[in-house]
Amino acid sequence: MAAAPVSKKQVQALGTEGWSKWSSLQDDLVRRIAGSFLASNDLDHYMCLRAVCPSWRSATDDPKDNASNPVFHPLRWIILDEVFQGDDDMRILLNTHTGRFLHKKLPLLREYYVVATTPSGFFVLADRTPPHTARVFNPLTGCLTCFPWSVPLEAGVAQVGHDDGLFYLYFLGDSSRKIYIGFPEVKYFVSRDCQQLAYNAVRDAVLGGAYPQHISVPALVDAFADLFDFMRSHSDFFNFFLSDLPGDTENNIRFRCYVVGLPAQVFLHVEREGRTPIVFKMNTETGKIEPVKSVGTFTIFIGCHRCLTVDADKFPAIEANCVYYTQHLGSSAQICKYNLSDKKVERLSEVAEFVKEDKQFVLVAARPFTIIQLLCSYTINRRDSELALQQMVQGAEQSCSNFVDGDLDG
């Protein structure tokens, strides 16, 4: 016997009845579900849960009421620069601990200059009108924190920190070796000059995603001092570093040290034919560093600009306990994989995956790109500050105008 057809009114009644049951879910259960999203740092899911109904919204905390609370900060996200062609509002975000991609439209970015993106997933912005005050934008919660001071023009590396309930923003200036620190409640920032070793330690820790979550500045300096002591105790190893190495000739970088996003690990990467990456780990009992052969289920990605770690269990295409790095071939670059266990190096392709265009290395591999290619693109490239670029354009236009005026006067 055939079942009687269900009318549209009956479907609507069932939907309304089912919805009323969900909306009456006990507050403690709603908070437990919300807490699971916060535990995995899936803040966008948390915001969607709060948008379901008024009762769920009232049962959970609003990030906009306390934007400085670190529980509402992106901690494990990176912002990939491989944006959709023709849509400047679209960004691709990746949770490196869960392997989840998020395609998100961010029209707010059109209202500001993008100065930098942090290794944790914040956008650092500047007002388009002078004095170009700083803003920190959380793309997962939509929170925009205002800082009442101007962004330093030389700033290209930035990070957000929190300490004892204080929310702060700091920039690194490569040309002056200054660290700029500012708070939302203070109308000026504090700048501090650093010696080269200390500045390099902080910079490489920030770009590796480890500072300020995992290690303090004094510990960084001590770790790098131990690293150089280790090198000096191995004369062949140390003499190798004294030779001319390819790298970032503009900044006179001959080799790269990163404090990666794993507790107390120092990663040393060298780009030279016949040489392989080396991973050091801090021995917490002796306070010394020592080479290691395993980073467990994690994998390290290293480039000339940034470093990051991912949990290989969440990325089936990525091999655990390996280092993926880019080997430069003049105007191109290729991806290599170094296995920490057997110390073998493998090139992933016979042809180069990147071609240099202006200052960026562009993927030339066929779409869709693999996750390994995307993560290597993230480490090999770093966008310039839009504010600094705009200032350069205005300066060039002013120089040209002065030249023309002077020529006419003459």
Side-chain angles (χ1 to χ4, degrees), residues 288-303:
K288 300 295 182 180
I289 62 170
E290 54 193 28
V292 295
K293 296 182 179 180
S294 175
V295 291
T297 64
F298 287 94
T299 297
I300 299 172
F301 282 80
I302 187 76

Side-chain angles (χ1 to χ4, degrees), residues 74 151 211 213 302 387:
V151 174
Y211 181 76
Q213 280 79 19
I302 187 76
L387 173 62

Side-chain angles (χ1 to χ4, degrees), residues 252-272:
N252 195 29
I253 297 174
R254 296 162 60 187
F255 63 92
R256 242 317 171 216
C257 299
Y258 285 101
V259 181
V260 302
L262 294 173
Q265 286 192 352
V266 178
F267 175 69
L268 176 62
H269 171 254
V270 182
E271 286 191 14
R272 184 173 180 175

Side-chain angles (χ1 to χ4, degrees), residues 171-184:
F171 297 97
L172 304 181
D174 286 344
S175 60
S176 65
R177 297 198 303 272
K178 287 181 180 289
I179 299 178
Y180 303 88
I181 304 176
F183 299 85

Side-chain angles (χ1 to χ4, degrees), residues 11-86:
V11 172
Q12 291 176 339
L14 288 172
T16 303
E17 181 183 358
W19 175 248
S20 64
K21 291 180 180 179
W22 280 109
S23 62
S24 62
L25 195 66
Q26 295 181 4
D27 288 355
D28 61 334
L29 293 179
V30 174
R31 283 191 286 268
R32 289 185 64 179
I33 298 171
S36 67
F37 294 144
L38 294 178
S40 60
N41 206 227
D42 289 318
L43 302 175
D44 58 315
H45 286 343
Y46 178 86
M47 298 300 292
C48 290
L49 179 142
R50 297 193 73 251
V52 167
C53 62
S55 62
W56 288 19
R57 193 154 48 248
S58 62
T60 53
D61 295 329
D62 187 352
K64 294 182 180 180
D65 292 339
N66 191 4
S68 63
N69 189 340
V71 74
F72 298 126
H73 290 182
L75 300 175
R76 304 166 182 169
W77 293 84
I78 61 173
I79 301 166
L80 299 174
D81 284 329
E82 295 294 337
V83 299
F84 292 101
Q85 295 293 329

Side-chain angles (χ1 to χ4, degrees), residues 200-242:
N200 289 347
V202 175
R203 187 182 192 277
D204 293 336
V206 170
L207 293 176
Y211 181 76
Q213 280 79 19
H214 295 295
I215 191 167
S216 65
V217 173
L220 282 174
V221 176
D222 291 342
F224 275 71
D226 289 340
L227 177 61
F228 283 102
D229 288 341
F230 177 88
M231 290 163 54
R232 290 189 181 95
S233 66
H234 297 72
S235 57
D236 293 339
F237 189 53
F238 186 63
N239 290 335
F240 166 73
F241 283 102
L242 293 180

